[in-house]
Structure formats: structure tokens, C-alpha cells
Amino acid sequence: MPAKPHPAALFRHLARWHAGAARLRALVPSDCPVCAGRARGGGLCDPCEAALCGAARASGGSGLPWRCPRCALPLPEHDACCPDCADRVPAFDRTIIAFDYTPPADLLVLQLKNGLRYGRAGLLGNLLAESVLEHAQPLDLETVLVPVPASAASLRRRGFNPAAEIAQALGRDLGLPVRHGLLERTREQAKQSGLGRQDRRASAHGLYLCRRPLAGMAVGLVDDVMTTGSTLHEAAAALRAAGARHVSALAVARTPGQARTPSGRPMQAECRG
């Protein structure tokens, strides 16, 4: 029986295919959605992509700039403790992001969510796929992509789930299946914008349920924006309870936040280890 190819080799092959598809898209002239400069294929121009996504992709390889290896939060210095993981180990194993949720990158997400520009889902999925492919640790070849469910109010307001649309584009680029409906919401909740870390945790607690057995499954949990990780933690916990063996958080954008201790004090150099 022939030896099974190493996942890293297969992902390198996928990366070459992805690069070829990107070259085909690049034949079509377009305007960069960030700077309105010359771009192709509906994507970012090269300077904007490097400026917006460079830091996130570098952290997946060289470890710079300093980020929490579990939730991708930027940290003030190497080996500083992460305020979002210090008092609770997330249910997901690691996080891969496309860029930080700061201007002007946040405009791309807002154009999709508030401006209802559906084409941005494809662009955001493409950028996230690039980050996944360039990450030092490739996804398991058996990974199934699962979008975080939207609230009923959000679906009524927008008519679609941004995370689901991004997951579809991500799945196309990575050649991975997308499983809609695997996660369910157990209730509706108040909007989390404006809430602090502890209030977000309380609001999201027990919010998701997975009724199907996932024994041994590797899952890529897809969302648009990761703030404190509370939503993704609860969604990952539901997948773990159903038997998933590995959960990777795949978020387009990560809110940098202010590096503070779990009690709210500014993070100091002695908060290490």
C-alpha cells in the first residue's frame, strides 16, 4: 500500500493551485476596495494587502509580531501573558486570522456586514485562505469548515450570515467542505458590541449546541471578527462536547484590544510565563 502523502506536502500543492487560481483572477482589472488604486480580480492592490495582512501572516510563521499562539491577540512583548486566555483556556486549539480589525482593514468587513456588499465575502475568504496556507502549521486535510451561526435578528436585518458566506469562499479556495447547520444557537442574545470581556463571556455562555456526533473530526470554526474570543470559545466548546478532536478558530479579523490583565489592569512585564 503506497505511503500516505504528508499533510504539509499536500498543502504545498494546494498552495500552488491557489496561487494559480489567483493568477487567473488577477487577469481582470479592478479597483482596490481600500485605496481605490489599481488592482486586479476584485482583490486588494499589492501594497494594501502587504500592509493589512503582513503582520498576521508573519505571526503564523516567524512568530513576529508577538501574538498569543492560542487566540492571536497582539501582545506587548514576547512571552507576555494573554489577558483573553490567562484565566480560561479557550476550547479552540489555535487561531488563524487574515488581519487585525483596525482602519482601514475594518472597512472590508463593514462593507460586507453593514453595506451588504456580498462580493466582499469572496475577497475576505480569499485573504483568510492565504493566511491559512502560509501558516506554519497547516490544517488537517480532513478539516470540515463550520461557520458560526448568526442570530435571528441579524439574519432578518442582513438577509444572510457573513460568517457562512466567508466560509463558502474559504472552502472553495482550500478545497474543504463547509457544513452549515452543524452548530445551533440555543437562544437569542443582546448585541455584544459595547460589552466588556466578562459581560461578553456571560452573554455567550452556553449559546451553541451541536446535536450531531463529531467523533475524531477536525473542525475549522469560521467567523468574521474575533473580539475577546468568547463567541468562538462557546462554539468550539459545543463542537468539543460533540466529539471534535481538534478545533481551529479561523477569523477574518482580530480586534487588537488593549493588552491588559484579566482584572483590567495594564499588562506589565512581570505578567509572563
Side-chain angles (χ1 to χ4, degrees):
M1 184 175 181
K4 190 174 183 180
H6 191 276
L10 289 173
F11 259 79
R12 283 195 294 270
H13 175 75
L14 180 60
R16 288 193 292 271
W17 176 89
H18 179 78
R23 284 193 292 271
L24 290 176
R25 288 196 299 266
L27 295 176
V28 182
S30 63
D31 294 335
C32 174
V34 173
C35 71
R38 180 173 294 180
R40 290 186 179 275
L44 302 178
C45 65
D46 290 342
C48 280
E49 182 163 353
L52 270 57
C53 304
R57 292 176 186 171
S59 68
S62 66
L64 295 174
W66 297 313
R67 290 181 184 270
C68 171
R70 192 93 177 205
C71 75
L73 181 74
L75 301 175
E77 55 188 0
H78 186 53
D79 287 339
C81 69
C82 174
D84 286 350
C85 300
D87 60 344
R88 182 186 67 182
V89 177
F92 47 84
D93 299 281
R94 52 143 174 199
T95 300
I96 302 176
I97 63 169
F99 50 77
D100 287 312
Y101 193 66
T102 56
D106 58 348
L107 177 65
L108 299 175
V109 178
L110 293 174
Q111 287 173 345
L112 171 64
K113 297 179 69 171
N114 298 343
L116 305 184
R117 300 182 65 173
Y118 306 110
R120 291 293 182 261
L123 171 60
L124 296 174
N126 297 156
L127 295 175
L128 184 52
E130 291 281 0
S131 293
V132 169
L133 291 171
E134 294 186 20
H135 199 273
Q137 297 178 334
L139 291 178
D140 189 295
L141 291 176
E142 304 294 323
T143 296
V144 170
L145 301 180
V146 177
V148 174
S151 67
S154 173
L155 289 172
R156 285 194 299 269
R157 184 170 65 254
R158 297 191 180 101
F160 68 100
N161 176 6
E165 300 301 318
I166 292 167
Q168 284 296 128
L170 182 64
R172 285 194 299 269
D173 277 3
L174 298 180
L176 297 176
V178 181
R179 296 280 297 275
H180 300 280
L182 200 60
L183 275 175
E184 304 174 20
R185 293 177 68 101
T186 61
R187 65 181 186 278
E188 292 302 303
Q189 64 175 157
K191 291 186 66 174
Q192 288 193 302
S193 56
L195 297 180
R197 181 182 295 111
Q198 298 303 327
D199 288 336
R200 280 177 177 265
R201 287 185 177 182
S203 176
H205 182 67
L207 186 60
Y208 301 102
L209 176 67
C210 179
R211 299 182 188 275
R212 304 177 190 177
L214 305 179
M217 186 178 291
V219 177
L221 187 58
V222 183
D223 206 359
D224 47 17
V225 179
M226 181 179 186
T227 304
T228 63
S230 297
T231 296
L232 285 163
H233 168 78
E234 293 296 334
L239 295 170
R240 293 279 197 190
R245 64 175 172 81
H246 190 281
V247 180
S248 295
L250 308 176
V252 169
R254 177 57 156 117
T255 302
Q258 182 178 0
R260 306 183 72 86
T261 65
S263 63
R265 296 191 300 273
M267 187 180 295
Q268 302 296 328
E270 62 267 19
C271 183
R272 295 183 179 179

